[in-house]
């Protein structure tokens, strides 16, 4: 394979994004430090290509500046807007900002008489190609959820965005509950926040289900709670309980100002628990102690379709341009 040195160095993004995608699937956590070396490389390669373009003809120089401007002044702000409106997570946004700097123009790889990527666009902004590829690949996920639920005979308004999970798999499941005691919701309790609560309280979900009548009482909260951690699933293991704290019900009352101690938990950790409110946490706990199976939105670990979109872009090129071409439409 033949390519310029900058384009060969850009291939280092593939193993980095592959590792990040694996981490995203396993833990939904990607360390910010993952992107620092790739960001430094992106800036260096952008400067390298810029110097090369300045020594080229006027037309080539203008196209280079135009594509860099689109990537940095359109694609990057668009990604930040997606993050602002919670379409992307923080790690997803950081990853794509790196892409915007690393791939402003189409790379070129020559192998066996072929030039890759095969499907190019008139604009030639490669970061935009990666973005549209990512969106198209990501769109397959809700379609797969729908088909899976349809074949299983699970009909619900949540069948496009969720799946049914047994209660004992919740401690090692990512996502959000799609149920409250009143019915289906699109903004249920985050399962990371549930794990934080269980670790803080020092009980397992099984303990909570067995002793729900007692443990609703905030008087049974431990005097010295455990560290809540960040709620991540570590290594795929069931780690919903810290050191189990022996608690005793001190009152026979059934109505409490703060059932489950949800408000005290959120006040004690003194930080955001993935947007969880006391009411949302209480609703989630009530569902988990009463239902054997619950609807969960697993969410899309967006770095996974981003990784696939990058690999497809480097090989085939622009999926949207190819699709529009097949349909007889002109592409940008």
């Amino acid at each position: 394979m033949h390519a310029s040195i900058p384009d060969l160095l850009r291939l280092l993004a593939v193993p980095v994004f592959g590792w990040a995608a694996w981490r995203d699937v396993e833990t939904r956590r990607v360390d910010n430090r993952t992107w620092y070396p790739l960001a430094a490389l992106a800036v260096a390669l952008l400067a390298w290509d810029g110097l090369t373009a300045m020594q080229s003809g006027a037309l080539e120089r203008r196209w280079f500046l135009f594509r860099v401007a689109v990537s940095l002044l359109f694609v990057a702000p668009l990604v930040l807007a997606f993050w602002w409106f919670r379409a992307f997570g923080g790690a997803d946004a950081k990853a794509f900002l790196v892409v915007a700097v690393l791939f402003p123009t189409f790379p070129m790889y020559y192998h066996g008489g072929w030039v890759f990527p095969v499907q190019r666009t008139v604009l030639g902004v490669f970061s935009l190609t990666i973005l549209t590829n990512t969106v198209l690949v990501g769109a397959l996920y809700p379609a797969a959820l729908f088909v899976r639920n349809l074949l299983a005979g699970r009909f619900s308004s949540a069948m496009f965005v969720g799946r049914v999970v047994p209660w004992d798999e919740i401690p090692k499941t990512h996502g959000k509950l799609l149920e409250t005691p009143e019915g289906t919701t699109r903004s249920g309790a985050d399962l990371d926040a549930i794990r934080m609560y269980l670790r803080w309280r020092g009980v397992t979900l099984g303990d909570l289900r067995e002793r729900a009548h007692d443990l609703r009482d905030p008087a049974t909260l431990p005097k010295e709670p455990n560290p809540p951690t960040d709620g991540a699933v570590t290594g795929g293991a069931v780690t919903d309980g810290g050191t189990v704290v022996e608690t005793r019900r001190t009152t026979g009352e059934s109505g409490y100002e703060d059932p489950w101690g949800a408000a005290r938990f959120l006040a004690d950790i003194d930080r955001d628990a993935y947007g969880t409110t006391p009411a949302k946490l209480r609703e989630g706990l009530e569902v988990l102690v009463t239902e054997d199976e619950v609807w969960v939105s697993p969410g899309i670990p967006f770095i996974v379709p981003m990784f696939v979109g990058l690999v497809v872009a480097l090989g085939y090129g622009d999926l949207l341009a190819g699709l529009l071409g097949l349909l007889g439409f002109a592409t940008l």
Side-chain angles (χ1 to χ4, degrees), residues 120-175:
R120 305 176 74 84
T121 65
V122 175
L123 286 181
V125 181
F126 198 58
S127 61
L128 190 58
T129 285
I130 298 171
L131 179 60
T132 56
N133 283 4
T134 298
V135 172
L136 290 174
V137 172
L140 297 175
Y141 190 61
L145 284 174
F146 173 75
V147 171
R148 175 180 176 176
N149 289 322
L150 186 66
L151 293 176
R154 297 191 179 105
F155 300 98
S156 166
S157 59
M159 63 191 300
F160 278 98
V161 294
R163 62 189 180 94
V164 173
V165 178
W167 74 265
D168 55 352
E169 292 185 12
I170 290 297
K172 54 184 179 181
T173 300
H174 301 285

Side-chain angles (χ1 to χ4, degrees), residues 71-82:
S71 191
L72 299 185
L73 301 179
F74 174 73
V75 175
L78 181 62
V79 167
L80 290 175
F82 286 158

